[in-house]
Amino acid sequence: MAEQKKRNGTTQRRRSDAVRGQKRTNAGNRQGRRSAGTRSSGRANVSKKRRRQRKTRAWIIGICILIAAVLVVAGVLVFGNKGKDIEEGTKLLEQGKYKEASEVFNTYLKEHTGADEDDVFYQAEASRGLGMAYYKLKQYDKAIEFLNKAADLGGEMTPALYNLIGISAMNLEDYDSALTAFEKGCQLPATSVYTDADGKEQTADYTAVIQEMQFNRIVCFEKKLDWASAKAEMETYLTLYPDDETAKKEAEFLGSMQL
């Protein structure tokens, strides 16, 4: 029980790193995100420029949560060699060696199939790390598979991770799956409490990430040419974020569409 508390407390501290990284990059994400509406001459297609901007936004979000989201070093310290391979994979992620990291995590999952609590914990963390590596390798289908596997194994999922799943689905033009991921992420609490390195309770704020997902839902409906749903989603969005001037301009565009 004492070891479990140590692991949970240290894991919470490492999750806070991901939160702080997410908060620092949200301002940059907003500019890329705002270009996501479909205002091209055909109005049914997004321009190449906007496709690049959308990919840039996805890359920014992914890089800021890539390393800390694996959340395994605490477990390595508590359980010794049991998590050594996952620690190695995490270090490779930190070094930007995504292919090598994917190989380490893949090997771990193939060789460790136990069903006790600790085994499942490490399998969830390895799956999360593998999903992150596949995302950076632009293998979005596998990224989705293993991030979802991490959730199925009981790994803690944050709004930021669901946003990453949704963006991966958008890259695959699977807008229904993206909508599902964004919806799950938006249903999670906007804040959570964690313990920092000094043992003090702090609050992690996912408000900006949730706003990102809510806007991405509008984009998904536009890509599906479901203008009525996009318009309804925009109305909800502006109720929550009435000062978003760029969204107001997008709402004017949606208002001009024949529903």
Side-chain angles (χ1 to χ4, degrees):
M1 180 64 72
E3 288 183 344
Q4 184 67 32
K5 289 183 178 178
K6 286 181 182 179
R7 185 183 71 192
N8 292 341
T10 310
T11 301
Q12 287 175 327
R13 291 197 293 272
R14 295 185 67 78
R15 288 192 178 109
S16 67
D17 293 337
V19 172
R20 288 192 287 271
Q22 182 72 50
K23 289 171 69 178
R24 284 196 296 270
T25 58
N26 274 327
N29 291 347
R30 298 276 296 162
Q31 174 113 16
R33 187 188 68 209
R34 298 310 184 192
S35 65
T38 51
R39 298 182 189 137
S40 60
S41 57
R43 294 195 175 183
N45 298 315
V46 176
S47 66
K48 290 182 179 180
K49 180 179 179 181
R50 285 180 178 170
R51 290 177 190 274
R52 290 194 298 269
Q53 289 172 323
R54 194 166 296 156
K55 289 180 180 179
T56 299
R57 182 180 74 243
W59 182 86
I60 292 171
I61 294 171
I63 195 65
C64 72
I65 65 174
L66 175 63
I67 305 305
V70 181
L71 305 171
V72 295
V73 174
V76 173
L77 294 174
V78 173
F79 294 103
N81 291 332
K82 196 167 187 178
K84 189 173 181 180
D85 291 339
I86 302 178
E87 182 181 19
E88 179 185 353
T90 304
K91 289 180 178 179
L92 290 169
L93 288 176
E94 292 172 348
Q95 297 167 7
K97 298 178 179 179
Y98 307 118
K99 185 176 185 300
E100 292 87 342
S102 71
E103 292 171 351
V104 170
F105 290 127
N106 253 319
T107 298
Y108 183 91
L109 289 171
K110 290 177 180 178
E111 295 179 351
H112 297 80
T113 58
D116 66 38
E117 183 178 354
D118 291 340
D119 287 334
V120 173
F121 170 80
Y122 283 115
Q123 290 164 23
E125 297 304 314
S127 297
R128 194 198 316 271
L130 185 55
M132 295 291 180
Y134 279 138
Y135 175 79
K136 293 304 298 177
L137 292 169
K138 299 183 179 181
Q139 297 184 38
Y140 299 115
D141 54 342
K142 292 184 178 180
I144 293 170
E145 175 187 351
F146 284 96
L147 288 174
N148 281 326
K149 181 177 180 179
D152 292 340
L153 289 169
E156 182 174 348
M157 298 296 287
T158 67
L161 288 175
Y162 276 117
N163 196 25
L164 190 58
I165 292 173
I167 291 171
S168 294
M170 290 177 73
N171 275 289
L172 296 173
E173 299 184 356
D174 183 357
Y175 302 111
D176 289 328
S177 294
L179 284 165
T180 298
F182 294 140
E183 182 178 5
K184 288 182 179 179
C186 288
Q187 290 175 349
L188 294 176
T191 60
S192 63
V193 177
Y194 64 93
T195 304
D196 65 17
D198 298 322
K200 298 179 181 179
E201 285 193 349
Q202 304 290 346
T203 300
D205 187 355
Y206 292 105
T207 303
V209 179
I210 290 175
Q211 182 177 356
E212 176 82 23
M213 288 188 286
Q214 288 170 330
F215 192 90
N216 282 342
R217 283 179 57 82
I218 299 170
V219 175
C220 286
F221 283 124
E222 289 180 341
K223 292 291 292 180
K224 285 164 59 69
L225 306 183
D226 185 350
W227 306 112
S229 296
K231 184 177 180 180
E233 199 77 18
M234 178 63 79
E235 290 174 353
T236 300
Y237 180 91
L238 288 175
T239 299
L240 296 169
Y241 311 105
D243 297 328
D244 191 328
E245 295 298 327
T246 306
K248 289 179 182 179
K249 293 179 180 179
E250 185 72 10
E252 292 177 2
F253 159 70
L254 287 172
S256 70
M257 298 302 298
Q258 296 294 326
L259 304 181

PDB file of all heavy atoms in Angstrom, residues 3 17-18 28 38 40-41 51 54 59 91 100 102 104 106 112 117 124 151 154-155 159 169 173 194 199 208 241 246:
ATOM      1  N   GLU A   3       3.923   1.494  -1.141  1.00  0.00           N
ATOM      2  CA  GLU A   3       4.575   1.644  -2.443  1.00  0.00           C
ATOM      3  C   GLU A   3       3.607   2.194  -3.467  1.00  0.00           C
ATOM      4  O   GLU A   3       3.959   3.001  -4.319  1.00  0.00           O
ATOM      5  CB  GLU A   3       5.119   0.294  -2.895  1.00  0.00           C
ATOM      6  CG  GLU A   3       6.343  -0.154  -2.106  1.00  0.00           C
ATOM      7  CD  GLU A   3       6.877  -1.465  -2.643  1.00  0.00           C
ATOM      8  OE1 GLU A   3       6.148  -2.143  -3.393  1.00  0.00           O
ATOM      9  OE2 GLU A   3       8.015  -1.785  -2.333  1.00  0.00           O
ATOM     10  N   ASP A  17       3.937  18.108 -15.116  1.00  0.00           N
ATOM     11  CA  ASP A  17       4.846  18.631 -16.137  1.00  0.00           C
ATOM     12  C   ASP A  17       4.144  18.736 -17.473  1.00  0.00           C
ATOM     13  O   ASP A  17       4.324  19.683 -18.230  1.00  0.00           O
ATOM     14  CB  ASP A  17       6.068  17.705 -16.279  1.00  0.00           C
ATOM     15  CG  ASP A  17       6.916  17.743 -15.017  1.00  0.00           C
ATOM     16  OD1 ASP A  17       6.835  18.740 -14.274  1.00  0.00           O
ATOM     17  OD2 ASP A  17       7.657  16.770 -14.796  1.00  0.00           O
ATOM     18  N   ALA A  18       3.336  17.711 -17.795  1.00  0.00           N
ATOM     19  CA  ALA A  18       2.600  17.745 -19.056  1.00  0.00           C
ATOM     20  C   ALA A  18       1.608  18.883 -19.066  1.00  0.00           C
ATOM     21  O   ALA A  18       1.402  19.550 -20.067  1.00  0.00           O
ATOM     22  CB  ALA A  18       1.867  16.412 -19.272  1.00  0.00           C
ATOM     23  N   GLY A  28       0.091  29.548 -28.637  1.00  0.00           N
ATOM     24  CA  GLY A  28       0.497  29.301 -30.020  1.00  0.00           C
ATOM     25  C   GLY A  28      -0.489  28.431 -30.758  1.00  0.00           C
ATOM     26  O   GLY A  28      -0.727  28.601 -31.949  1.00  0.00           O
ATOM     27  N   THR A  38     -13.787  26.001 -42.937  1.00  0.00           N
ATOM     28  CA  THR A  38     -13.758  25.677 -44.360  1.00  0.00           C
ATOM     29  C   THR A  38     -14.329  26.846 -45.155  1.00  0.00           C
ATOM     30  O   THR A  38     -15.505  26.913 -45.431  1.00  0.00           O
ATOM     31  CB  THR A  38     -14.596  24.417 -44.625  1.00  0.00           C
ATOM     32  OG1 THR A  38     -15.878  24.604 -44.026  1.00  0.00           O
ATOM     33  CG2 THR A  38     -13.940  23.192 -44.032  1.00  0.00           C
ATOM     34  N   SER A  40     -12.872  27.924 -48.224  1.00  0.00           N
ATOM     35  CA  SER A  40     -12.294  27.929 -49.554  1.00  0.00           C
ATOM     36  C   SER A  40     -13.363  28.244 -50.586  1.00  0.00           C
ATOM     37  O   SER A  40     -14.549  28.268 -50.303  1.00  0.00           O
ATOM     38  CB  SER A  40     -11.658  26.561 -49.845  1.00  0.00           C
ATOM     39  OG  SER A  40     -12.635  25.576 -49.773  1.00  0.00           O
ATOM     40  N   SER A  41     -12.912  28.496 -51.827  1.00  0.00           N
ATOM     41  CA  SER A  41     -13.845  28.922 -52.865  1.00  0.00           C
ATOM     42  C   SER A  41     -14.962  27.915 -53.075  1.00  0.00           C
ATOM     43  O   SER A  41     -16.099  28.268 -53.350  1.00  0.00           O
ATOM     44  CB  SER A  41     -13.084  29.137 -54.180  1.00  0.00           C
ATOM     45  OG  SER A  41     -12.413  27.947 -54.552  1.00  0.00           O
ATOM     46  N   ARG A  51      -4.753  22.954 -44.468  1.00  0.00           N
ATOM     47  CA  ARG A  51      -4.351  21.591 -44.111  1.00  0.00           C
ATOM     48  C   ARG A  51      -3.004  21.627 -43.393  1.00  0.00           C
ATOM     49  O   ARG A  51      -2.796  20.938 -42.395  1.00  0.00           O
ATOM     50  CB  ARG A  51      -4.249  20.709 -45.356  1.00  0.00           C
ATOM     51  CG  ARG A  51      -5.596  20.391 -46.004  1.00  0.00           C
ATOM     52  CD  ARG A  51      -5.373  19.566 -47.265  1.00  0.00           C
ATOM     53  NE  ARG A  51      -6.582  19.441 -48.030  1.00  0.00           N
ATOM     54  CZ  ARG A  51      -7.502  18.514 -47.828  1.00  0.00           C
ATOM     55  NH1 ARG A  51      -7.334  17.647 -46.867  1.00  0.00           N
ATOM     56  NH2 ARG A  51      -8.585  18.471 -48.574  1.00  0.00           N
ATOM     57  N   ARG A  54      -3.469  23.005 -39.911  1.00  0.00           N
ATOM     58  CA  ARG A  54      -4.089  22.040 -39.018  1.00  0.00           C
ATOM     59  C   ARG A  54      -3.068  21.004 -38.557  1.00  0.00           C
ATOM     60  O   ARG A  54      -3.033  20.613 -37.411  1.00  0.00           O
ATOM     61  CB  ARG A  54      -5.268  21.365 -39.727  1.00  0.00           C
ATOM     62  CG  ARG A  54      -6.168  20.601 -38.808  1.00  0.00           C
ATOM     63  CD  ARG A  54      -7.459  20.256 -39.498  1.00  0.00           C
ATOM     64  NE  ARG A  54      -8.185  21.454 -39.838  1.00  0.00           N
ATOM     65  CZ  ARG A  54      -9.093  21.509 -40.821  1.00  0.00           C
ATOM     66  NH1 ARG A  54      -9.364  20.444 -41.516  1.00  0.00           N
ATOM     67  NH2 ARG A  54      -9.730  22.623 -41.079  1.00  0.00           N
ATOM     68  N   TRP A  59       0.758  18.993 -34.403  1.00  0.00           N
ATOM     69  CA  TRP A  59       2.142  18.727 -34.006  1.00  0.00           C
ATOM     70  C   TRP A  59       2.473  19.446 -32.710  1.00  0.00           C
ATOM     71  O   TRP A  59       3.089  18.883 -31.803  1.00  0.00           O
ATOM     72  CB  TRP A  59       3.081  19.193 -35.107  1.00  0.00           C
ATOM     73  CG  TRP A  59       4.518  18.913 -34.795  1.00  0.00           C
ATOM     74  CD1 TRP A  59       5.218  17.767 -35.028  1.00  0.00           C
ATOM     75  CD2 TRP A  59       5.435  19.806 -34.162  1.00  0.00           C
ATOM     76  NE1 TRP A  59       6.496  17.889 -34.591  1.00  0.00           N
ATOM     77  CE2 TRP A  59       6.659  19.125 -34.064  1.00  0.00           C
ATOM     78  CE3 TRP A  59       5.339  21.097 -33.676  1.00  0.00           C
ATOM     79  CZ2 TRP A  59       7.786  19.718 -33.493  1.00  0.00           C
ATOM     80  CZ3 TRP A  59       6.452  21.693 -33.115  1.00  0.00           C
ATOM     81  CH2 TRP A  59       7.661  21.002 -33.021  1.00  0.00           C
ATOM     82  N   LYS A  91      13.085   7.432 -22.252  1.00  0.00           N
ATOM     83  CA  LYS A  91      14.290   8.199 -22.568  1.00  0.00           C
ATOM     84  C   LYS A  91      14.443   8.372 -24.081  1.00  0.00           C
ATOM     85  O   LYS A  91      14.867   9.431 -24.557  1.00  0.00           O
ATOM     86  CB  LYS A  91      15.521   7.512 -21.977  1.00  0.00           C
ATOM     87  CG  LYS A  91      15.585   7.603 -20.459  1.00  0.00           C
ATOM     88  CD  LYS A  91      16.821   6.897 -19.918  1.00  0.00           C
ATOM     89  CE  LYS A  91      16.895   7.027 -18.399  1.00  0.00           C
ATOM     90  NZ  LYS A  91      18.080   6.311 -17.848  1.00  0.00           N
ATOM     91  N   GLU A 100      12.871   3.943 -32.429  1.00  0.00           N
ATOM     92  CA  GLU A 100      13.495   3.087 -31.431  1.00  0.00           C
ATOM     93  C   GLU A 100      12.601   2.929 -30.206  1.00  0.00           C
ATOM     94  O   GLU A 100      12.491   1.849 -29.632  1.00  0.00           O
ATOM     95  CB  GLU A 100      14.847   3.662 -31.023  1.00  0.00           C
ATOM     96  CG  GLU A 100      15.914   3.636 -32.121  1.00  0.00           C
ATOM     97  CD  GLU A 100      15.865   4.872 -33.010  1.00  0.00           C
ATOM     98  OE1 GLU A 100      14.825   5.570 -33.009  1.00  0.00           O
ATOM     99  OE2 GLU A 100      16.865   5.130 -33.701  1.00  0.00           O
ATOM    100  N   SER A 102       9.341   3.079 -30.162  1.00  0.00           N
ATOM    101  CA  SER A 102       8.222   2.199 -30.508  1.00  0.00           C
ATOM    102  C   SER A 102       8.643   0.741 -30.443  1.00  0.00           C
ATOM    103  O   SER A 102       7.858  -0.128 -30.026  1.00  0.00           O
ATOM    104  CB  SER A 102       7.681   2.540 -31.903  1.00  0.00           C
ATOM    105  OG  SER A 102       8.593   2.161 -32.923  1.00  0.00           O
ATOM    106  N   VAL A 104      10.948  -0.557 -28.466  1.00  0.00           N
ATOM    107  CA  VAL A 104      11.089  -0.938 -27.056  1.00  0.00           C
ATOM    108  C   VAL A 104       9.716  -1.207 -26.436  1.00  0.00           C
ATOM    109  O   VAL A 104       9.505  -2.226 -25.770  1.00  0.00           O
ATOM    110  CB  VAL A 104      11.826   0.164 -26.272  1.00  0.00           C
ATOM    111  CG1 VAL A 104      11.760  -0.123 -24.761  1.00  0.00           C
ATOM    112  CG2 VAL A 104      13.276   0.243 -26.721  1.00  0.00           C
ATOM    113  N   ASN A 106       6.897  -1.899 -27.970  1.00  0.00           N
ATOM    114  CA  ASN A 106       6.286  -3.054 -28.617  1.00  0.00           C
ATOM    115  C   ASN A 106       6.823  -4.359 -28.023  1.00  0.00           C
ATOM    116  O   ASN A 106       6.066  -5.293 -27.739  1.00  0.00           O
ATOM    117  CB  ASN A 106       6.558  -3.021 -30.127  1.00  0.00           C
ATOM    118  CG  ASN A 106       5.328  -2.659 -30.932  1.00  0.00           C
ATOM    119  OD1 ASN A 106       4.230  -3.117 -30.635  1.00  0.00           O
ATOM    120  ND2 ASN A 106       5.501  -1.845 -31.950  1.00  0.00           N
ATOM    121  N   HIS A 112       5.350  -9.089 -21.914  1.00  0.00           N
ATOM    122  CA  HIS A 112       4.727  -8.952 -20.598  1.00  0.00           C
ATOM    123  C   HIS A 112       3.213  -8.954 -20.763  1.00  0.00           C
ATOM    124  O   HIS A 112       2.611  -7.969 -21.185  1.00  0.00           O
ATOM    125  CB  HIS A 112       5.183  -7.660 -19.920  1.00  0.00           C
ATOM    126  CG  HIS A 112       6.655  -7.622 -19.642  1.00  0.00           C
ATOM    127  ND1 HIS A 112       7.581  -7.318 -20.617  1.00  0.00           N
ATOM    128  CD2 HIS A 112       7.354  -7.878 -18.499  1.00  0.00           C
ATOM    129  CE1 HIS A 112       8.797  -7.370 -20.090  1.00  0.00           C
ATOM    130  NE2 HIS A 112       8.689  -7.698 -18.812  1.00  0.00           N
ATOM    131  N   GLU A 117      -2.020  -6.567 -10.845  1.00  0.00           N
ATOM    132  CA  GLU A 117      -2.207  -5.115 -10.861  1.00  0.00           C
ATOM    133  C   GLU A 117      -0.995  -4.372 -11.418  1.00  0.00           C
ATOM    134  O   GLU A 117      -1.132  -3.460 -12.235  1.00  0.00           O
ATOM    135  CB  GLU A 117      -2.507  -4.615  -9.446  1.00  0.00           C
ATOM    136  CG  GLU A 117      -2.782  -3.117  -9.366  1.00  0.00           C
ATOM    137  CD  GLU A 117      -3.117  -2.668  -7.959  1.00  0.00           C
ATOM    138  OE1 GLU A 117      -3.237  -3.543  -7.076  1.00  0.00           O
ATOM    139  OE2 GLU A 117      -3.252  -1.448  -7.739  1.00  0.00           O
ATOM    140  N   ALA A 124      -0.358  -0.570 -19.434  1.00  0.00           N
ATOM    141  CA  ALA A 124      -1.058   0.669 -19.784  1.00  0.00           C
ATOM    142  C   ALA A 124      -0.059   1.770 -20.110  1.00  0.00           C
ATOM    143  O   ALA A 124      -0.223   2.508 -21.086  1.00  0.00           O
ATOM    144  CB  ALA A 124      -1.978   1.102 -18.640  1.00  0.00           C
ATOM    145  N   ALA A 151      -6.218   3.355 -22.256  1.00  0.00           N
ATOM    146  CA  ALA A 151      -7.447   3.674 -21.521  1.00  0.00           C
ATOM    147  C   ALA A 151      -8.168   2.395 -21.101  1.00  0.00           C
ATOM    148  O   ALA A 151      -8.652   2.283 -19.964  1.00  0.00           O
ATOM    149  CB  ALA A 151      -8.359   4.545 -22.384  1.00  0.00           C
ATOM    150  N   GLY A 154      -6.964   0.777 -18.045  1.00  0.00           N
ATOM    151  CA  GLY A 154      -7.118   1.535 -16.802  1.00  0.00           C
ATOM    152  C   GLY A 154      -6.153   2.681 -16.639  1.00  0.00           C
ATOM    153  O   GLY A 154      -6.110   3.310 -15.575  1.00  0.00           O
ATOM    154  N   GLY A 155      -5.365   2.983 -17.683  1.00  0.00           N
ATOM    155  CA  GLY A 155      -4.468   4.123 -17.607  1.00  0.00           C
ATOM    156  C   GLY A 155      -5.263   5.419 -17.536  1.00  0.00           C
ATOM    157  O   GLY A 155      -6.318   5.534 -18.152  1.00  0.00           O
ATOM    158  N   PRO A 159      -7.883  15.217 -20.718  1.00  0.00           N
ATOM    159  CA  PRO A 159      -8.413  15.902 -21.901  1.00  0.00           C
ATOM    160  C   PRO A 159      -7.360  16.062 -22.995  1.00  0.00           C
ATOM    161  O   PRO A 159      -7.676  15.939 -24.186  1.00  0.00           O
ATOM    162  CB  PRO A 159      -8.854  17.263 -21.332  1.00  0.00           C
ATOM    163  CG  PRO A 159      -9.231  16.964 -19.924  1.00  0.00           C
ATOM    164  CD  PRO A 159      -8.216  15.949 -19.474  1.00  0.00           C
ATOM    165  N   ALA A 169      -7.373  11.075 -35.464  1.00  0.00           N
ATOM    166  CA  ALA A 169      -8.507  10.647 -36.283  1.00  0.00           C
ATOM    167  C   ALA A 169      -8.799  11.650 -37.390  1.00  0.00           C
ATOM    168  O   ALA A 169      -9.138  11.270 -38.516  1.00  0.00           O
ATOM    169  CB  ALA A 169      -9.747  10.457 -35.407  1.00  0.00           C
ATOM    170  N   GLU A 173      -8.992  11.465 -41.561  1.00  0.00           N
ATOM    171  CA  GLU A 173     -10.291  11.874 -42.101  1.00  0.00           C
ATOM    172  C   GLU A 173     -11.428  11.008 -41.547  1.00  0.00           C
ATOM    173  O   GLU A 173     -12.452  10.816 -42.192  1.00  0.00           O
ATOM    174  CB  GLU A 173     -10.280  11.859 -43.636  1.00  0.00           C
ATOM    175  CG  GLU A 173      -9.246  12.824 -44.214  1.00  0.00           C
ATOM    176  CD  GLU A 173      -9.291  12.906 -45.740  1.00  0.00           C
ATOM    177  OE1 GLU A 173     -10.080  12.153 -46.357  1.00  0.00           O
ATOM    178  OE2 GLU A 173      -8.537  13.708 -46.301  1.00  0.00           O
ATOM    179  N   TYR A 194      -3.316  17.690  -8.045  1.00  0.00           N
ATOM    180  CA  TYR A 194      -2.148  16.827  -7.996  1.00  0.00           C
ATOM    181  C   TYR A 194      -1.200  17.340  -6.920  1.00  0.00           C
ATOM    182  O   TYR A 194      -1.350  18.461  -6.422  1.00  0.00           O
ATOM    183  CB  TYR A 194      -1.427  16.802  -9.357  1.00  0.00           C
ATOM    184  CG  TYR A 194      -0.850  18.139  -9.765  1.00  0.00           C
ATOM    185  CD1 TYR A 194       0.476  18.479  -9.476  1.00  0.00           C
ATOM    186  CD2 TYR A 194      -1.629  19.074 -10.447  1.00  0.00           C
ATOM    187  CE1 TYR A 194       1.000  19.695  -9.843  1.00  0.00           C
ATOM    188  CE2 TYR A 194      -1.110  20.293 -10.827  1.00  0.00           C
ATOM    189  CZ  TYR A 194       0.202  20.604 -10.526  1.00  0.00           C
ATOM    190  OH  TYR A 194       0.716  21.815 -10.896  1.00  0.00           O
ATOM    191  N   GLY A 199       5.328  18.370  -2.203  1.00  0.00           N
ATOM    192  CA  GLY A 199       4.268  17.770  -1.422  1.00  0.00           C
ATOM    193  C   GLY A 199       3.050  18.657  -1.258  1.00  0.00           C
ATOM    194  O   GLY A 199       2.165  18.356  -0.456  1.00  0.00           O
ATOM    195  N   ALA A 208      -8.158  25.316 -21.420  1.00  0.00           N
ATOM    196  CA  ALA A 208      -7.778  25.665 -22.793  1.00  0.00           C
ATOM    197  C   ALA A 208      -7.829  24.449 -23.717  1.00  0.00           C
ATOM    198  O   ALA A 208      -8.183  24.566 -24.895  1.00  0.00           O
ATOM    199  CB  ALA A 208      -6.392  26.295 -22.810  1.00  0.00           C
ATOM    200  N   TYR A 241     -17.654  30.820 -24.921  1.00  0.00           N
ATOM    201  CA  TYR A 241     -16.493  31.691 -25.176  1.00  0.00           C
ATOM    202  C   TYR A 241     -16.934  32.899 -26.011  1.00  0.00           C
ATOM    203  O   TYR A 241     -16.563  33.028 -27.182  1.00  0.00           O
ATOM    204  CB  TYR A 241     -15.395  30.896 -25.896  1.00  0.00           C
ATOM    205  CG  TYR A 241     -15.097  29.574 -25.246  1.00  0.00           C
ATOM    206  CD1 TYR A 241     -15.544  28.381 -25.818  1.00  0.00           C
ATOM    207  CD2 TYR A 241     -14.386  29.502 -24.051  1.00  0.00           C
ATOM    208  CE1 TYR A 241     -15.289  27.156 -25.210  1.00  0.00           C
ATOM    209  CE2 TYR A 241     -14.127  28.280 -23.445  1.00  0.00           C
ATOM    210  CZ  TYR A 241     -14.576  27.114 -24.028  1.00  0.00           C
ATOM    211  OH  TYR A 241     -14.317  25.904 -23.429  1.00  0.00           O
ATOM    212  N   THR A 246     -12.451  35.517 -33.556  1.00  0.00           N
ATOM    213  CA  THR A 246     -12.251  34.698 -34.752  1.00  0.00           C
ATOM    214  C   THR A 246     -13.393  33.706 -34.925  1.00  0.00           C
ATOM    215  O   THR A 246     -13.860  33.459 -36.039  1.00  0.00           O
ATOM    216  CB  THR A 246     -10.910  33.949 -34.672  1.00  0.00           C
ATOM    217  OG1 THR A 246      -9.870  34.881 -34.434  1.00  0.00           O
ATOM    218  CG2 THR A 246     -10.641  33.201 -35.968  1.00  0.00           C
TER     219      THR A 246
END
